[in-house]
Amino acid sequence: DAKTTQPNSMESNEEEPVHLPCNHSTISGTDYIHWYRQLPSQGPEYVIHGLTSNVNNRMASLAIAEDRKSSTLILHRATLRDAAVYYCIREGSNYKLTFGKGTLLTVNP
Amino acid sequence: GAVVSQHPSWVICKSGTSVKIECRSLDFQATTMFWYRQFPKQSLMLMATSNEGSKATYEQGVEKDKFLINHASLTLSTLTVTSAHPEDSSFYICSARAPATGGRSPLHFGNGTRLTVT
């Protein structure tokens, strides 16, 4: 049970921002929210993670709703290299990451 | 950044033989590593948690006698698929967590091992 809900697929255009949503309505107060992405035949790549506050790094931004029941991964300017499956994961107190089906992001040139 | 190296990247073996996959944390020590399996067009499934110096803990439904895990040092965990069969053909991925300076650090993943059993 991945305990997060994401759209199966999304499409964007190159150089435009992308907002990838994730619902985690049963999240507990100590669960972290992680985002990873995976290209075919490669291991997942860490994108960003957070607990309560919005987070920014060189790859993306993570916007966490005030009630923490949802979050949004923001890619500020999509490139063709950003095409991948994006996984939103809750990490509980057992430190395990359980992957759901993720969102397949297609970036159009 | 933290790097996890996995070897081999692909392996083909005959049914009934055993295959060992290595997972190394190159620039950090990892007391815990995680092993995942991924079938085509599916998501990653956690198989087991590898603990340095102690027994691995397996997820429900994963046969511990078939998937032997050894975590003998702080930088190396191995997964051995024993008596492999075609249904064990899959993409095996390991991961490890670098020590956190504050809060919770992310997992870093290896590039995976493609196992094909003929």
Side-chain angles (χ1 to χ4, degrees):
Chain A
D1 180 11
K3 301 178 182 177
T4 63
T5 304
Q6 299 177 252
N8 289 333
S9 63
M10 288 186 66
E11 206 168 317
S12 70
N13 296 318
E14 201 174 8
E15 298 191 2
E16 291 184 357
V18 181
H19 291 234
L20 296 166
C22 180
N23 286 322
H24 28 78
S25 58
T26 60
I27 196 168
S28 69
T30 56
D31 290 354
Y32 278 75
I33 300 156
H34 290 254
W35 284 83
Y36 289 78
R37 67 184 185 183
Q38 186 181 27
L39 294 170
S41 297
Q42 292 189 24
E45 176 188 26
Y46 168 73
V47 178
I48 202 166
H49 76 296
L51 182 60
T52 55
S53 304
N54 294 343
V55 185
N56 300 296
N57 65 22
R58 62 176 180 81
M59 290 181 69
S61 295
L62 175 59
I64 302 173
E66 198 169 328
D67 63 5
R68 301 188 72 237
K69 293 184 177 182
S70 65
S71 62
T72 302
L73 178 69
I74 303 166
L75 306 179
H76 296 285
R77 286 185 66 195
T79 70
L80 297 179
R81 288 177 295 180
D82 291 323
V85 177
Y86 285 78
Y87 296 99
C88 166
I89 304 167
R90 278 171 50 183
E91 181 189 15
S93 57
N94 61 9
Y95 295 89
K96 295 180 183 179
L97 297 189
T98 301
F99 284 73
K101 296 182 179 179
T103 297
L104 175 62
L105 175 65
T106 302
V107 180
N108 300 315
Chain B
V3 177
V4 174
S5 175
Q6 209 172 321
H7 178 81
S9 56
W10 61 270
V11 58
I12 301 173
C13 71
K14 292 187 177 180
S15 188
T17 61
S18 296
V19 173
K20 180 184 285 188
I21 302 169
E22 293 186 349
C23 179
R24 295 180 185 274
S25 55
L26 295 187
D27 49 0
F28 65 97
Q29 294 183 332
T31 55
T32 302
M33 292 184 176
F34 300 92
W35 287 95
Y36 290 82
R37 179 168 56 181
Q38 185 174 32
F39 292 107
K41 299 190 184 302
Q42 294 188 23
S43 187
L44 284 78
M45 185 194 79
L46 180 63
M47 298 176 66
T49 303
S50 172
N51 304 298
E52 188 270 335
S54 65
K55 291 182 179 179
T57 53
Y58 292 80
E59 296 299 304
Q60 191 173 9
V62 178
E63 300 176 59
K64 62 179 181 180
D65 294 330
K66 181 166 186 61
F67 300 100
L68 300 180
I69 292 173
N70 183 277
H71 194 154
S73 78
L74 287 171
T75 58
L76 174 64
S77 175
T78 61
L79 169 68
T80 301
V81 183
T82 63
S83 187
H85 291 284
E87 57 265 31
D88 298 322
S89 298
S90 188
F91 192 49
Y92 292 86
I93 310 168
C94 72
S95 65
R97 191 188 305 272
T101 54
R104 187 83 55 89
S105 64
L107 276 185
H108 297 278
F109 287 81
N111 270 333
T113 297
R114 174 76 58 195
L115 170 63
T116 302
V117 184
T118 59

